[in-house]
Amino acid sequence: MASRRDRLRAATVREITDTARRILVEEGPDAVTLRAIAREMGMTAPALYRYFGSHGELLRHLVGDLFTELTRDLHAAMDEVPKSDMSGKFMTVARQFRLWALAHPREYSLLFGTPVRGAAHKEEVDFAEECARQFGWTFMSLFLELWRKQPFPVMAEEEIDPGLREELRRYRDEVLGISLPLGVIQQFLKCWIRLQGGVSLEVFGHLEFALSDAAPMFELMLREVTVELGLTYAPPKGRA
């Protein structure tokens, strides 16, 4: 059981990150400074160093918290779908990712914009990176489940561009540490790039030159991806 001192410290860390997030949402990333956070909390900036060693470390902690929240939201949405409904789970997670991003554009920018560097040494476990891996595994585990239950067509290894093949092998062996055909890894990355790329363009306002409502284009992308994966597309409730 945590001591009273540890509980108080954890509560203060929570308040610091909550304050940092509020400033991020209300004023933008450049306003998230130790001085601004301290002022909001009635503390001095040097006092914050008892909890975070640097501004970068604080931002990395906030990034980790946001990835955890996003992952929790994705799993909660997926839990509403029957476990055997792979099509429903895939579309639900993709749509929930987009909805979270649109509802939290500045938080999304912190996660998927310019990477926030921390002060941790390479040999140390980075909180933000670990939370990001948990988020990424939400999509990869869904992909693995689909491949095992309903294998979809993929390119044979010798058909993949040699340069890309080596990159995929490195990613599979050194980053993921799982045993899968390279064609599956390629298909996973293709789907993720389309999903995250499309959402980012919408969140950052780069589709407004042509689209006032990007939802139908997102659904078109989702329909095409589900066909590639051998899934059955169904429009969201309320949209024909």
Side-chain angles (χ1 to χ4, degrees):
M1 182 176 179
S3 67
R4 182 174 183 274
R5 181 178 179 180
D6 288 340
R7 292 196 302 272
L8 288 173
R9 181 178 179 82
T12 303
V13 168
R14 178 75 268 165
E15 184 180 358
I16 292 170
T17 52
D18 286 347
T19 302
R21 181 175 183 175
R22 185 170 65 252
I23 295 173
L24 170 72
V25 171
E26 293 176 356
E27 303 179 46
D30 291 341
V32 185
T33 65
L34 292 177
R35 186 178 299 277
I37 295 168
R39 184 171 57 248
E40 287 280 327
M41 296 180 61
M43 299 174 64
T44 63
L48 292 182
Y49 285 101
R50 295 202 298 267
Y51 302 92
F52 295 100
S54 67
H55 177 254
E57 184 181 331
L58 167 59
L59 287 182
R60 295 293 291 171
H61 192 87
L62 176 57
V63 166
D65 277 356
L66 292 173
F67 268 124
T68 298
E69 176 187 307
L70 174 53
T71 303
R72 187 169 54 243
D73 281 8
L74 296 180
H75 280 280
M78 192 161 46
D79 287 344
E80 298 295 319
V81 181
K83 291 185 177 180
S84 60
D85 184 2
M86 294 304 302
S87 298
K89 286 197 290 187
F90 179 84
M91 288 183 289
T92 295
V93 168
R95 288 170 179 147
Q96 187 63 29
F97 175 67
R98 173 177 175 267
L99 290 176
W100 189 93
L102 292 175
H104 306 91
R106 279 184 162 158
E107 291 96 326
Y108 182 89
S109 178
L110 188 64
L111 298 185
F112 298 101
T114 303
V116 176
R117 302 299 179 187
H121 299 294
K122 288 184 178 180
E123 63 271 15
E124 295 177 348
V125 176
D126 183 271
F127 176 68
E129 289 180 1
E130 179 58 32
C131 295
R133 281 194 291 268
Q134 293 298 321
F135 160 75
W137 192 249
T138 301
F139 289 90
M140 176 54 77
S141 60
L142 189 59
F143 225 75
L144 284 172
E145 183 183 2
L146 174 60
W147 173 252
R148 288 164 181 162
K149 290 181 176 179
Q150 304 168 213
F152 42 87
V154 298
M155 291 180 66
E157 186 168 320
E158 59 272 14
E159 296 176 320
I160 301 174
D161 177 272
L164 178 58
R165 189 165 60 225
E166 291 308 308
E167 293 278 12
L168 295 174
R169 182 176 289 110
R170 180 199 58 78
Y171 175 60
R172 180 192 64 185
D173 297 344
E174 300 179 15
V175 179
L176 297 176
I178 55 179
S179 178
L180 281 176
L182 292 184
V184 178
I185 303 297
Q186 176 178 251
Q187 189 63 40
F188 168 74
L189 287 176
K190 281 175 58 182
C191 292
W192 172 245
I193 289 169
R194 292 185 68 182
L195 171 62
Q196 200 262 332
V199 169
S200 291
L201 286 172
E202 183 177 4
V203 171
F204 298 145
H206 296 311
L207 296 179
E208 293 176 0
F209 74 95
L211 304 172
S212 59
D213 178 11
M217 186 64 73
F218 177 83
E219 289 299 320
L220 175 60
M221 179 276 296
L222 197 55
R223 181 193 295 271
E224 292 172 349
V225 169
T226 53
V227 170
E228 289 182 16
L229 298 179
L231 297 171
T232 302
Y233 173 83
K237 294 179 180 179
R239 186 181 289 269

